[in-house]
């Protein structure tokens, strides 16, 4: 960064919330009763319109079944929606504490590829979402990363230029897409690495705070 960021824009999954666990992934495959590799190929290939809010959860799982040359009954579809929501529901408490500290001095936004059902789950259960001035959820925007319009929508809502923000995401392709419109990026690997980034050099918006100095067990702050 050539300047201290005025706003921090965070991805959700793989940054604030955990990616799907193996157990949650297995539960989805078992519910679908199809070969695992085929399931995930269809799951991801058909995800963009679901993320953008172009289709409902029931429509998405109908399309997945069609891609797999099978059918899911209505009970299966509702179970798949529920298991899918649960698979993305684990939050990293270290990141929530960091966000609370950052929000005292810095504007925050969230920019996430997230379908309606999963977004509703988070909104209903997590008060920490109130820390974000802007919630740029793909199902609401109609755009999903790495589409440039997703970043532009978020920046427009914030009323800032790209150079004023630092974008934090765990996927390199999303960081590259952000860079193309002028956003600076941090490729997320751990809360500790992010704290270091925000505590030194031109990115400094955090002091070397009590959070950064807490003891760790197995790499996690305690």
């Amino acid at each position: 960064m050539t300047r201290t960021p005025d706003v921090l824009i965070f991805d959700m999954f793989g940054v604030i919330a955990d990616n799907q666990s193996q157990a949650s992934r297995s539960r989805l495959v078992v519910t679908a009763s199809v070969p695992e590799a085929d399931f995930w190929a269809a799951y991801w290939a058909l995800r963009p319109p679901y993320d953008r809010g172009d289709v409902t959860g029931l429509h998405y799982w109908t399309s997945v079944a069609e891609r797999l040359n099978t059918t899911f009954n209505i009970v299966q579809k509702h179970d798949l929606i529920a298991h899918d929501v649960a698979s993305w529901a684990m939050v990293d408490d270290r990141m929530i504490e960091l966000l609370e500290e950052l929000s005292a001095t810095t504007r925050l936004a969230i920019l996430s590829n997230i379908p309606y059902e999963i977004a509703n789950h988070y909104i209903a259960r997590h008060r920490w979402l109130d820390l974000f001035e802007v919630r740029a959820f793909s199902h609401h925007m109609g755009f999903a990363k790495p589409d440039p319009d997703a970043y532009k929508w978020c920046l427009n809502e914030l009323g800032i230029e790209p150079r004023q923000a630092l974008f934090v995401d765990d996927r390199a392709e999303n960081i590259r897409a952000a860079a193309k419109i002028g956003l600076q990026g941090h490729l997320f690997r751990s809360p500790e690495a992010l704290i270091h980034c925000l505590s030194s050099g031109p990115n400094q918006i955090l002091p070397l705070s009590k959070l950064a100095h807490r003891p760790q067990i197995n790499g996690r702050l305690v």
Side-chain angles (χ1 to χ4, degrees), residues 76-145:
Q76 271 182 298
K77 290 177 188 177
H78 282 292
D79 285 346
L80 285 163
I81 290 171
H83 294 329
D84 194 33
V85 170
S87 76
W88 295 106
M90 296 300 294
V91 174
D92 189 336
D93 290 337
R94 300 170 298 170
M95 283 300 299
I96 303 307
E97 190 161 359
L98 176 57
L99 290 169
E100 289 171 346
E101 183 170 343
L102 288 167
S103 69
T105 57
T106 307
R107 298 171 68 191
L108 305 180
I110 192 165
L111 175 56
S112 177
N113 290 355
I114 184 170
Y116 174 81
E117 288 84 355
I118 299 177
N120 271 5
H121 171 90
Y122 272 86
I123 291 167
R125 290 165 176 80
H126 294 293
R127 295 288 299 277
W128 51 261
L129 282 171
D130 292 339
L131 299 172
F132 297 100
E133 181 179 332
V134 169
R135 302 178 197 170
F137 288 163
S138 58
H139 78 90
H140 176 69
M141 296 186 291
F143 307 111
K145 298 173 295 184

